[in-house]
């Protein structure tokens, strides 16, 4: 395994459908400090659109539009990261210091993290940086009650970002925060 400081951190941005993952990513990538970021975008559906939203921000965007990333995680993620590493080493893509995986809204981030932690070649070059989960302030409470995917996304997060807070009633926000705390006591909520 490579030295920790030499490994490229891989951060996972996850969150249920419509929770603002791509908006968050676009905002983050516009910061000059994050100019050297490679992005892997996973989209669910026949026509991928998220890459169109971030492509003008970074040149190292790879679109995996073969379905939910967590469904075919073993071959697709390994192949994409190996290809990205090879392209960086050959100079085919600009050098990058970090990778961000923007998952589909239905993805379970745990298998993605497991792949990074367990696959020997990836372990040598990459490390898990963190899991950021976006939660929609308006629909998040209902999604947590109805969809197990959203519960998994919140439970494994290192950071929780509540979006659309300007549209939510104060009672709605406090109830959502209580739900988030029950599912994940350690992740800070922003």
């Amino acid at each position: 395994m490579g030295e920790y400081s030499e490994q490229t951190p891989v951060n996972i941005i996850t969150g249920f459908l419509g929770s603002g993952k791509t908006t968050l990513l676009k905002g983050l990538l516009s910061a000059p400090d994050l100019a050297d970021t490679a992005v892997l975008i996973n989209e669910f559906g026949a026509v991928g659109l998220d890459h169109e939203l971030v492509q003008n921000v970074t040149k190292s965007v790879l679109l995996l539009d073969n379905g939910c990333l967590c469904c075919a995680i073993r071959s697709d993620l390994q192949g994409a990261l190996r290809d990205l590493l090879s392209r960086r080493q050959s100079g085919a893509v600009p050098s990058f210091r970090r990778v961000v995986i923007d998952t589909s809204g239905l993805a379970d981030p745990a298998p993605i993290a497991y792949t990074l932690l367990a696959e020997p070649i990836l372990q040598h070059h990459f490390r898990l940086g963190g899991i950021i989960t976006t939660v929609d302030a308006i629909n998040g409470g209902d999604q947590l009650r109805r969809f197990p995917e959203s519960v998994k996304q919140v439970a494994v997060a290192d950071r929780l970002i509540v979006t659309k807070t300007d549209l939510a009633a104060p009672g709605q926000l406090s109830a959502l925060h209580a739900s988030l705390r029950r599912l994940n006591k350690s992740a800070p909520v922003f």
Side-chain angles (χ1 to χ4, degrees):
M1 191 148 72
E3 289 291 320
Y4 185 82
S5 62
E6 296 173 6
Q7 294 170 317
T8 303
V10 178
N11 296 288
I12 301 167
I13 297 180
T14 191
F16 202 70
L17 298 167
S19 64
K21 295 176 301 298
T22 303
T23 302
L24 173 66
L25 178 60
K26 187 174 180 181
L28 291 172
L29 292 177
S30 66
D33 291 348
L34 297 178
D36 50 359
T37 301
V39 179
L40 293 174
I41 295 178
N42 174 245
E43 296 179 341
F44 189 77
V47 179
L49 298 174
D50 284 352
H51 70 287
E52 298 294 339
L53 298 174
V54 296
Q55 199 159 21
N56 62 345
V57 180
T58 181
K59 292 184 166 102
S60 299
V61 176
L62 301 178
L63 174 64
L64 303 175
D65 54 12
N66 59 338
C68 181
L69 190 58
C70 65
C71 297
I73 189 77
R74 288 270 156 229
S75 61
D76 293 339
L77 180 60
Q78 285 181 19
L81 285 171
R82 286 179 181 176
D83 180 58
L84 194 56
L85 178 65
S86 174
R87 291 170 66 188
R88 176 174 70 181
Q89 290 172 335
S90 72
V93 297
S95 185
F96 55 89
R97 292 188 328 168
R98 74 192 56 76
V99 175
V100 173
I101 299 173
D102 179 7
T103 69
S104 81
L106 299 173
D108 177 354
I112 300 168
Y114 178 79
T115 298
L116 291 168
L117 298 170
E119 206 282 330
I121 292 176
L122 296 183
Q123 281 181 341
H124 186 72
H125 298 283
F126 298 98
R127 63 180 166 82
L128 180 61
I131 300 172
I132 301 163
T133 301
T134 56
V135 181
D136 179 331
I138 304 296
N139 301 306
D142 184 52
Q143 291 167 342
L144 289 170
R145 285 187 293 278
R146 296 180 52 211
F147 301 102
E149 298 88 353
S150 66
V151 172
K152 289 178 187 178
Q153 293 165 351
V154 167
V156 300
D158 295 310
R159 290 175 199 86
L160 295 163
I161 311 289
V162 179
T163 62
K164 307 175 189 174
T165 56
D166 57 325
L167 304 174
Q172 198 173 20
L173 280 175
S174 61
L176 179 59
H177 278 262
S179 295
L180 296 176
R181 282 289 136 241
R182 279 193 300 277
L183 294 170
N184 187 332
K185 292 180 182 1
S186 62
V189 178
F190 300 96

